[in-house]
Amino acid sequence: MTAEIRSFQAQTRKLLDLMIHSIYSHKEIFLRELISNASDALDKVRFEALTNPELASGEHKIKLIPDAENHTLTIVDDGIGMTYDEVVDHIGTIAKSGSEAFAEKLKGAGSDAATPDLIGQFGVGFYSAFMVARRVVLETQKQGEPEAVRWESTGDGEYSIERIPKRERGTQITLFLRDKAVETPEEAEDMPPNEQDFTSTWTLKEIVRKYSDFIAYPVVMDVEKYELEKDADGKPVEGGTSKKVMQEETLNSQKALWTRPAASIEKAEYNEFYRHVTKDWQEPSEVLHLHVEGMQEYTALLFVPGKAAFDLYSREPRRGLQLYIKRVFIAEDVAELVPEYLRFVKGLVDSSDLPLNVSREVVQQDRLVGVIKKHLTNKILGHFKEMLANDRPRYEALWKEFGTCIKEGFHYEPAQKQKLADILLLPTTHGTGLSTLKEIKERFVEGQAAYYYLTGDGREILEHAPQLEVFKKRGVEVILLGEPVDEILAGILDSYDGTDLKSAAKGELEGLPEDASAKEEKAAQGEQFAELLTRLKALLADDVADVVLSSRLTDSAACLVAGEDGMSGHLERMMRQMGQAMPAQKRVLEVNGQHAAIVALRDLADRDKQDERLKEYAEMLLDQALLAEGAPLKNPARFARRVADAMAQAANH
Ligand code: ADP
């Protein structure tokens, strides 16, 4: 059988190059990565053995074999193994999105000390072997395959792959370590030798203890022991000699961390475990460790990451929790255990009640899984509420990362809307910070009977929206909903704690404190503006439902508002951007009877019923109102030309 030589993809090559030439410290983490892969492979075999007894064989352990003489370190597992195609797919290729993002980060990270921890994050763990090895040889046998596979590479552009005679199930990875003693001078110059000796049993023990202690399978190594001479009964002979023997020693405690009482676990242990589960290099911001008894017995160990993952909002991010049943690993990424909007929560659930022989499909439909999900959701939301009450700065930091995701809850679980509303932090016209709905209510002015909000494209635009003018004048605070997801929130959350939430850009402004003088004034104006309003309405009939005098505006000439049950202009635009066919919704154009421009238009309309200019001005009014909301104009060039013309006329006076 001859070996096939293949080239790494450009992406992989780039990454390997970075790995070899840019990372100098903490190289020891390569071992964590390889042990973690072996542990995953053992998880898979253990799970499949539940339905395929053939796979139950084996010791389910990970063995380290250092060889100081030949400068190699070999890592052996009796896990699931790989077929020829799997080696090509998994070892020859890197998931594209991950490696690109990784390479970017690696380049961006100025300090070398920060870089190595990035490795685990993007699913490029195996390649970390090349940080310490000149050459890597992988041999692997999958159960039931007629042959094994041998893969080999020096990490420079190419690898070879061939079929080899059948061997024991599992994977064996041999690293030919970069070592002063074996480097040629050119090699040594190109790749600095390792500072640590990875064939030293002491070093290996330390690394395993530090990074892989909780791995559920024994990580073993043969170590030298001195055995005293013993008599026939197995008792040491007094004054006898001692001889050197090799003895297999287990290096990790293997304690499934989550089964230990929370009080006995150190923060560093949680952090290392979090890293193992998520491959995130940063510390988690929150740890929730729950032991639940009663109707349902399970343990959950949940983490909120410190930062939102780069793919949190992409279409198919990895989501879900790991599922264990009575400490046996069942499945990765079980999406059914947490609701979609809490997908940033990572970790695991270990249930005592689910049947061990479940298949993935069964898990998806199991009622008990649904019960756990509901329970966890309550726990998580409850935890957030407590944080908000007891440690506002920490909650604000969490909200900054995941608030947008949490708000999606209004869409996915409208039934939870009150609980979600309790933990909302929202920007408002009051100051620059974020407020809870409770705090906003405490600032209601006398006579105010509703919360007001405005949706649109970001806080900046919203703050200056003409629709807010009357609120500013009367000192009424308005919630500024500037994110796309806020439209969903506004659509679902119609009241909080018995008080309605109303759009500042819809319908009559019920719930605002009465302003008797403004009301009288408006009634008086009605008469005077009747002619103008009728003409504007006729001229703009294709675009607006009505033209009325505004009670909202104090400084601007015009704005658009929707009917009480209508859709906001912002939502309409969003739906269109998402490719939804939206019939154009006609809104109401409100004009400000106090504004000099409107007064002038009134005079023009009264003076000359035929004046052609009124049509042009009507269109300009509508365009202005659209522009102020950040909405696109039908004909922006025409609007620009008209403004310039108006300027010329005004300046000539
Ligand atoms: P990740 O583990 O993050 O997916 P790696 O580059 O470390 O990325 O590994 C790529 C893939 O190669 C793994 O997902 C797995 O499918 C396979 N693999 C790696 N090591 C082993 C192993 N010891 N046994 C079986 N499969 C392995």
Side-chain angles (χ1 to χ4, degrees), residues 33-34 37-38 40-41 44 77 80-82 90-91 120 122-127 171 173 279:
E33 298 301 319
L34 298 183
N37 280 350
D40 289 349
K44 283 181 198 147
D77 67 65
I80 192 82
M82 284 176 271
H90 296 152
I91 301 294
F122 295 103
V124 292
F126 174 77
Y127 291 95
T171 303
I173 297 169
K279 318 242 176 216

Side-chain angles (χ1 to χ4, degrees), residues 376-389:
L376 284 182
T377 306
N378 285 337
K379 284 281 175 196
I380 295 168
L381 296 183
H383 181 81
F384 290 167
K385 193 173 171 181
E386 247 169 59
M387 258 179 100
L388 173 61

